[in-house]
């Protein structure tokens, strides 16, 4: 229960700090930089180095890849049917195709499944960043008309701290190398800053704007895909096609049902895709996802 309370307390703190102008305008950028480069790197090294690597880990790792390719197909077809602008199609693909698997996923999964569940979260989150930095960038470039080099972005991935620690953790795990106790405890403490800092950042970035009729239609389709259709696809594929069950599969389904990823929305806006759709998808998707996640959790307990 305390973890659930922490989620809402930190979200509210972020909103209050921003509205009261107690903090600088873009203070969330500093929080995000610390969380992504330090906290998540520590989390990745701590948990991935200890997880049992077997055939089941492929399922959480595939979640973000299935999501973005499903989103590309889904919104490309709808865009053709309704003759949408490229900026709208691209914004919907980016915001509905990538989930908030760390900033929202970590506290939610920790609250529902405890510390053990965070190992699976890392197996979804780290491949998710790779998908965002490759396929996501290609999508943003294509729908904005940008000509940025893919090689440039691949170089950024190789230099990205969470990716580096992810690879190190896999190597340590593969060769059964244990991290010294003192360093391990330090990694855990650094990783534990992820939840409060990430949620305060999310709260500070939540903005609500007046929704026009057409924008409401885009928003409805985008959130229906992200919060309902995509997790439904993962549920059907994993449980009824591949006949998989267990905690890893349940967490994979819940991770697919997370709200739109803030980082994906930022990249979409930076590429001049429809900024209002991006903002609405995040601002409304995050609070709404707590309701849909509760429903999905109940469904998983019943099945």
């Amino acid at each position: 229960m305390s973890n659930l309370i922490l989620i809402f307390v930190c979200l509210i703190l972020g909103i209050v700090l921003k509205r009261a102008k107690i903090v600088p305008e873009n203070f969330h950028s500093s929080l995000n930089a610390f969380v992504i480069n330090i906290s998540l790197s520590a989390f990745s090294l701590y948990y991935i180095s200890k997880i049992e690597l077997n055939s089941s880990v492929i399922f959480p790792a595939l979640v973000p890849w299935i999501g973005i390719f499903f989103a590309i197909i889904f919104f490309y077809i709808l865009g053709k049917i309704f003759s949408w602008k490229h900026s709208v199609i691209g914004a919907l693909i980016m915001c509905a195709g990538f989930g908030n698997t760390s900033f929202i996923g970590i506290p939610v999964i920790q609250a529902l499944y405890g510390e053990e569940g965070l190992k699976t979260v890392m197996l979804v989150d780290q491949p998710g960043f790779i998908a965002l930095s490759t396929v996501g960038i290609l999508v943003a470039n294509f729908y904005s008309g940008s000509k940025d080099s893919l090689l440039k972005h691949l170089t950024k991935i190789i230099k990205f701290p969470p990716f580096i620690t992810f690879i190190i953790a896999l190597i340590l795990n593969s060769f059964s190398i244990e991290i010294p106790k003192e360093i391990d405890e330090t990694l855990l403490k650094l990783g534990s800053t992820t939840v409060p800092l990430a949620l305060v950042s999310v709260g500070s970035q939540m903005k609500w704007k007046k929704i026009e009729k057409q924008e409401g239609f885009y928003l409805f389709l985008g959130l229906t895909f992200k919060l309902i259709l995509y997790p439904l696809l993962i549920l059907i594929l994993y449980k009824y096609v591949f006949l998989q069950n267990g905690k890893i599969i349940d967490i994979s389904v819940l991770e697919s049902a997370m709200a739109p990823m803030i980082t994906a929305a930022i990249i979409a806006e930076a590429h001049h895709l429809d900024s209002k759709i991006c903002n609405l998808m995040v601002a409304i998707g995050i609070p709404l996802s707590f309701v849909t996640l509760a429903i999905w959790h109940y469904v998983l307990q019943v099945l």
Side-chain angles (χ1 to χ4, degrees):
M1 180 60 73
S2 62
N3 286 328
L4 289 173
I5 294 173
L6 179 66
I7 292 173
F8 292 102
V9 167
C10 288
L11 282 173
I12 294 170
L13 279 174
I15 295 171
V16 171
L17 287 172
K18 189 64 178 289
R19 295 290 173 86
K21 298 183 179 179
I22 298 173
V23 293
E25 183 67 24
N26 293 318
F27 93 110
H28 63 269
S29 298
S30 298
L31 290 182
N32 291 350
F34 185 89
V35 169
I36 291 172
N37 293 296
I38 306 299
S39 305
L40 286 179
S41 294
F43 248 144
S44 180
L45 192 51
Y46 181 84
Y47 285 107
I48 299 297
S49 63
K50 297 174 179 61
I51 195 169
E52 182 182 348
L53 294 178
N54 52 47
S55 59
S56 66
V57 303
I58 191 67
F59 294 103
L62 283 176
V63 166
W65 295 97
I66 294 172
I68 184 55
F69 285 115
F70 184 28
I72 290 171
I73 295 169
F74 185 82
F75 290 109
Y76 173 80
I77 293 172
L78 286 182
K80 286 292 185 182
I81 294 173
F82 294 106
S83 300
W84 291 341
K85 295 179 181 178
H86 271 204
S87 61
V88 170
I89 300 173
L92 287 170
I93 291 174
M94 292 294 288
C95 293
F98 294 103
N100 210 318
T101 54
S102 56
F103 280 30
I104 300 298
I106 288 175
V108 169
I109 299 303
Q110 186 178 37
L112 296 176
Y113 294 93
E115 296 295 325
E116 190 67 22
L118 297 181
K119 295 178 182 178
T120 305
V121 172
M122 290 294 102
L123 288 172
V124 177
D125 186 68
Q126 297 300 306
F129 173 76
I130 298 172
L132 174 65
S133 302
T134 51
V135 179
I137 294 297
L138 285 174
V139 168
N141 283 342
F142 176 80
Y143 283 103
S144 68
S146 174
K147 303 298 181 182
D148 287 348
S149 168
L150 177 60
L151 180 61
K152 176 183 176 182
H153 296 289
L154 289 175
T155 302
K156 287 183 179 180
I157 295 174
I158 296 172
K159 295 179 178 179
F160 190 58
F163 178 73
I164 294 171
T165 54
F166 178 65
I167 298 301
I168 292 173
L170 286 178
I171 293 172
L172 292 176
N173 191 310
S174 299
F175 291 95
S176 301
I177 300 173
E178 291 188 7
I179 299 173
K181 183 180 178 181
E182 291 76 12
I183 296 177
D184 213 33
E185 290 176 352
T186 302
L187 290 173
L188 180 59
K189 289 177 180 178
L190 280 172
S192 66
T193 62
T194 301
V195 174
L197 294 183
L199 289 171
V200 169
S201 174
V202 168
S204 71
Q205 295 175 76
M206 293 175 70
K207 302 176 183 176
W208 290 270
K209 298 180 180 179
K210 182 181 178 182
I211 304 175
E212 304 295 337
K213 184 177 180 180
Q214 188 61 39
E215 291 167 343
F217 180 59
Y218 298 146
L219 182 65
F220 171 77
L221 289 174
L223 291 180
T224 296
F225 175 93
K226 184 68 198 74
L227 303 179
I228 299 175
L229 296 181
Y230 172 35
L232 180 61
L233 173 66
I234 295 296
L235 175 67
I236 293 172
L237 275 178
Y238 285 12
K239 286 187 174 286
Y240 299 104
V241 176
F242 299 126
L243 302 177
Q244 299 295 311
N245 281 293
K247 186 182 291 185
I248 287 180
I249 300 302
D250 288 351
I251 293 174
S252 297
V253 173
L254 287 177
E255 282 283 83
S256 71
M258 293 296 163
M261 182 194 286
I262 294 175
T263 306
I266 291 171
I267 290 174
E269 290 188 63
H271 283 78
H272 307 293
L273 302 181
D274 197 303
S275 60
K276 192 167 183 181
I277 291 175
C278 294
N279 182 267
L280 288 170
M281 284 284 289
V282 171
I284 296 178
I286 288 175
L288 182 60
S289 70
F290 288 114
V291 177
T292 54
L293 281 168
I295 295 172
W296 279 115
H297 181 60
Y298 173 76
V299 170
L300 290 169
Q301 300 307 303
V302 171
L303 293 177

